[in-house]
Amino acid sequence: MGQLPRVEWKMFMFGNEARAKAKFTMWLYFQDRMLISDRLNKWGMQVDRECIMCKVHDENRKHIFIECEYAKSVWTTLLKWMQRQPIWATSWDQHWKCAVENATEKSSKAGVFRMIYAEAIHEIWNERNHRIFEKQSRKAEELARNIACICNVRATNQNRTVG
């Protein structure tokens, strides 16, 4: 096969205790393969471009998971729970740099971060879809509490005692 370049997101995928469906959603996110309105519009489909969660900006991958006030609120709540500073920057490069820094270690804190990152991506995506297709919504704090509960249940004993 020869030498292939190392993908930056590898550390998020392997050794992650998140649910398989959360890791798959995160993989779609990393590959920019999610069916978000900006991508559907490029294909010629007529869909509403407005973000369903904040109803202010156009929907794209960066906005839904980083820039949207709803997503920021979810991330801030989760990072407080993890006793970390709210690091979610406004640009993709800043966001990615902070995420990689928090996930690259081999410590329990990094393992918890990777799991929460995957579950948060998955739950934000599900919330977006619930709002579009089922006309149901949850508060950001409720979503963050659900993510925390899922991660607490799935965490190994080693990761559960992170302090």
Side-chain angles (χ1 to χ4, degrees), residues 14 35 57 65 67 83 87 114 116 141 148 162:
F14 302 107
L35 296 178
H57 299 284
F65 298 104
E67 300 165 353
Q83 299 174 348
I87 55 169
R114 288 189 298 267
I116 287 175
E141 294 77 25
V162 171

Side-chain angles (χ1 to χ4, degrees), residues 65-107:
F65 298 104
I66 301 168
E67 300 165 353
C68 181
E69 289 304 317
Y70 183 85
K72 282 182 187 178
S73 181
V74 171
W75 288 117
T76 301
T77 304
L78 289 170
L79 289 168
K80 281 182 188 175
W81 172 65
M82 291 174 27
Q83 299 174 348
R84 297 203 180 200
Q85 294 293 337
I87 55 169
W88 302 102
T90 55
S91 77
W92 172 257
D93 292 333
Q94 286 178 319
H95 164 79
W96 186 243
K97 182 181 175 215
C98 292
V100 168
E101 285 174 5
N102 282 291
T104 46
E105 304 169 15
K106 297 207 183 242
S107 68

Side-chain angles (χ1 to χ4, degrees), residues 52-65:
I52 193 75
M53 293 187 283
C54 70
K55 301 198 184 303
V56 177
H57 299 284
D58 284 351
E59 183 181 84
N60 60 49
R61 178 178 69 152
K62 292 176 187 175
H63 175 75
I64 291 174
F65 298 104

Side-chain angles (χ1 to χ4, degrees), residues 12 19 21-30 34 53 61 64-66 71 74-75 78 88 92 95-96 114-128 143 147:
F12 286 95
R19 297 173 295 174
K21 60 185 175 181
K23 290 193 282 187
F24 179 72
T25 303
M26 185 175 60
W27 180 82
L28 290 172
Y29 165 78
F30 288 144
M34 297 180 128
M53 293 187 283
R61 178 178 69 152
I64 291 174
F65 298 104
I66 301 168
V74 171
W75 288 117
L78 289 170
W88 302 102
W92 172 257
H95 164 79
W96 186 243
R114 288 189 298 267
M115 180 173 38
I116 287 175
Y117 192 87
E119 294 291 347
I121 294 293
H122 180 71
E123 288 296 317
I124 291 170
W125 181 247
N126 278 345
E127 178 64 21
R128 176 230 181 233
L143 195 72
I147 294 165

